[in-house]
Amino acid sequence: MNKNFNFFTVSIFCDCDYKDIVSAIYQIKKTQIESNKIEIREEKSIIEEYYNPPSGGAHFPQFTCWESEKYPNKVFFISNYEDGLYTLCKAIHRIVGKILIICSLSNKTNISNPFFQFYYSDSNLNERSIMAYKDERWIFYEEGTPLYFENICNYKNKYIKRRLNNDIIIEYLKKLGIDLWEIDQSIVNSTAYKQNRW
């Protein structure tokens, strides 16, 4: 993945099998798939095509999931929606269990309303959510019990925009054994989904 983006959201399903994720997606989207409202392509997607998703939800959803040799027990998911198709990811997680991580990253210099998010849910559906974003002013939000890899000193910074940012999110992922910029290297399985009508 390159670092030339304004905004994107990526989800990571940990300790799970790629086939289980694909099966869960089929189970959730069965009606749309069987009525040809969603086209499925088993091909390597270009992750950067999902950077900078348009605002709002009036466009047709597109998303892709993949696994790589480097991370054999993780499945990555990215979409053309700003929220990363949060509801779909949560539905997949409820079916497969294990761990779900959702991260949103922004380029603060290129957009007027940056949004940063680190979300973590374990196999028991215990949730931890941290957000920092700029609306009219900077807002910080956290919910759930801090996780062992978090540096909670970050959240006490007097500058709210420094409490959560790309560097902190990348640091947390590295503590979990994930290098964000290498998640699309050596892809072994990839499936792209494109909805073409409602």
Side-chain angles (χ1 to χ4, degrees):
M1 294 174 66
N2 71 49
K3 301 178 184 179
N4 183 21
F5 65 89
N6 292 335
F7 178 81
F8 73 92
T9 297
V10 63
S11 298
I12 307 164
F13 297 91
C14 301
D15 302 324
C16 63
D17 186 86
Y18 176 79
K19 291 178 183 175
D20 291 339
I21 299 297
V22 171
S23 175
I25 293 170
Y26 185 85
Q27 184 179 334
I28 296 163
K29 297 290 187 180
K30 181 178 179 182
T31 303
Q32 292 103 321
I33 291 169
E34 291 182 351
S35 62
N36 295 318
K37 290 181 180 178
I38 294 179
E39 174 189 347
I40 301 175
R41 299 184 314 274
E42 291 185 11
E43 62 185 22
K44 182 179 175 184
S45 298
I46 299 169
I47 308 310
E48 288 80 4
E49 289 179 355
Y50 293 91
Y51 282 2
N52 313 323
S55 296
H59 55 286
F60 291 123
Q62 294 181 38
F63 56 95
T64 189
C65 61
W66 73 95
E67 67 173 341
S68 72
E69 285 181 6
K70 184 170 176 123
Y71 303 105
N73 65 340
K74 294 176 176 59
V75 179
F76 302 93
F77 179 105
I78 196 167
S79 78
N80 68 337
Y81 269 53
E82 287 181 313
D83 72 349
L85 291 175
Y86 176 83
T87 303
L88 174 58
C89 289
K90 295 268 291 176
I92 295 167
H93 183 232
R94 281 193 295 273
I95 293 170
V96 300
K98 309 299 182 182
I99 294 169
L100 168 63
I101 302 167
I102 302 174
C103 302
S104 297
L105 297 94
S106 296
N107 183 333
K108 286 190 289 190
T109 59
N110 287 359
I111 59 176
S112 56
N113 296 100
F115 179 85
F116 303 95
Q117 173 188 222
F118 186 89
Y119 170 87
Y120 184 102
S121 182
D122 65 18
S123 57
N124 295 317
L125 304 181
N126 296 311
E127 298 177 304
R128 171 67 171 154
S129 184
I130 316 156
M131 289 185 275
Y133 59 94
K134 186 178 180 184
D135 195 356
E136 291 180 7
R137 59 185 177 83
W138 277 95
I139 297 167
F140 177 76
Y141 167 86
E142 65 173 315
E143 183 177 14
T145 304
L147 301 162
Y148 69 93
F149 54 83
E150 290 181 53
N151 180 354
I152 59 173
C153 292
N154 290 326
Y155 317 143
K156 298 172 183 172
N157 195 308
K158 70 176 181 176
Y159 299 105
I160 295 174
K161 64 182 177 182
R162 295 183 185 166
R163 293 182 187 175
L164 186 69
N165 54 41
N166 292 346
D167 292 336
I168 293 169
I169 292 168
I170 290 165
E171 174 193 333
Y172 288 173
L173 289 174
K174 283 187 176 177
K175 287 181 178 178
L176 292 167
I178 302 166
D179 184 331
L180 178 66
W181 308 119
E182 295 183 357
I183 63 174
D184 63 340
Q185 293 182 8
S186 304
I187 292 175
V188 291
N189 285 301
S190 178
T191 305
Y193 300 81
K194 181 178 181 181
Q195 187 159 334
N196 50 44
R197 55 195 170 97
W198 298 115

